[in-house]
Amino acid sequence: MVSEQRTFTTGSEPEQASRISRRGFLGRAAALGLGTTALAGILNSCGTTAFGAGKTHITYWHLLGGGDGERMLEMVQQFQHNHPEVDLEAVTLSWGTPYYTKLAMAAAGGRPPDVGILHMSRLPMYAGSGLLEPFDTSALSNNGITQDNFVDPVWQKAHYNGKLYAVPLDTHPLVMYYSTDVCQKAGLLDSNGKLQEFKGEDDVLKAFSEAKKASGGLGLAMGVGDPSTCWRVFCALYAQLNGQYFSADGTQLTFEDDKAEQVLAYISKLAKEVGSTNIDYAGAIALFSGGKAGFHWNGEWEVTTFQTQKMKFDMTLFPNVFGGQQTWADSHSLVLPRQGTVDPERRAMSIKFVSELLKSSYIWAQGGHIPTYLPVATSSEYKQLAPQSHYAAEASNVVYDPPVWFAGAASELENQAGAAFQSVITQQKTPKQGIQQFRAAMLKQLQTPKPF
């Protein structure tokens, strides 16, 4: 038996959270911009369904489509095959704001799924608003999941106020792709066909310049027309300068203009001299896959795109430009949305489900994401997976979005920061003007109350 897979497309401290009334539920939605029709659909779709007699029924929500969705379905079906005593209902929702809105509303209403996917960058908002329940670490341990199974930076990020609120499934960082054909022609490969090391502002620019000559197109294909890409690249390089965003309590803006200006000036220089100032996300991918660019900066999730196109390429760590190996990253993590009433049997099976997804994450790793579960990440099977294993060390260098409630995947911080920095990289504004735009947007967000 396989799990039921459904697909939908939809437009305080944890201890203080509880089931709220329908009126309260609707009232809290205003800050998230949902109308009553959409909310009614949320309320009506969160009920339980009669499943197999004598079986434990658990529900699982995620936002994974495309290749990620196919691999997740394979992992879910593997769990169901191993546990015929479970009725597992897996529901796929639209990526981004629609998913996160629905998950928040369902948890606030006390009728969420048993298990959900959450980008780790969203954890401060959801855990801090009482929308998640912490994991019982002893129950995880009984299923073979312990702290020493993870690299420390990712494990620590999964905590909020000292409690474990997420179990990270992967790390998906910004990495560097390179065309082996172009780089060979440019003299950038060693005798083993691997990219020679280069670091520092001048050396990176020089390598990209040589690749530009060899490709007859661009040295670096970077989707500067995509605000999310602009944010990720900025975040990586700003982290290499140890740049700060907010105070530890998330109430004050501590952004360092001089460091930000240095980063934006450098990215703008790359775009102008070895890249393009108007290329979008899809265009960058097309140029790189077509052999018209030597390098490509993007998340590792595009690996299967280039494999499918059978191009000759490899992947490596995001370069050390400003004296550090830091890079932007996020993680898909597994969470327990807050229930109105916890059923012990369903909770126990939910934790088993979480643990077995981790243990089968070699399937997940084939799509490019670095598995966080070390028994998989250090296995000979994963080490032989190329080029996915070539940037595995990046898991120790990751920098997540700032831990404020309005940060994270598809968040207002990403949208506002990406737009401000994009305007600089595309030569529409000076670095100072872009920084002013970002500052104004962040100060406005700091004055905006949390929606829960």
Side-chain angles (χ1 to χ4, degrees), residues 333-355:
S333 66
L334 297 153
V335 296
L336 304 174
R338 191 167 185 87
Q339 305 286 328
T341 303
V342 176
D343 180 308
E345 184 178 355
R346 290 176 67 154
R347 176 55 54 83
M349 189 55 68
S350 296
I351 290 178
K352 179 175 288 294
F353 173 61
V354 167
S355 70

Side-chain angles (χ1 to χ4, degrees), residues 138-203:
S138 63
L140 283 172
S141 179
N142 290 339
N143 284 275
I145 306 301
T146 57
Q147 180 176 352
D148 58 5
N149 294 145
F150 302 85
V151 294
D152 191 62
V154 179
W155 179 256
Q156 295 305 323
K157 186 67 179 178
H159 288 71
Y160 183 83
N161 284 351
K163 295 181 179 180
L164 181 70
Y165 278 93
V167 174
L169 177 63
D170 67 47
T171 306
H172 46 273
L174 186 71
V175 299
M176 185 160 68
Y177 300 76
Y178 62 96
S179 164
T180 51
D181 281 347
V182 172
C183 289
Q184 178 69 50
K185 185 177 179 181
L188 297 173
L189 302 185
D190 62 21
S191 58
N192 295 317
K194 296 297 181 182
L195 190 67
Q196 297 175 22
E197 182 181 9
F198 52 84
K199 61 182 180 179
E201 297 177 62
D202 293 339
D203 281 355

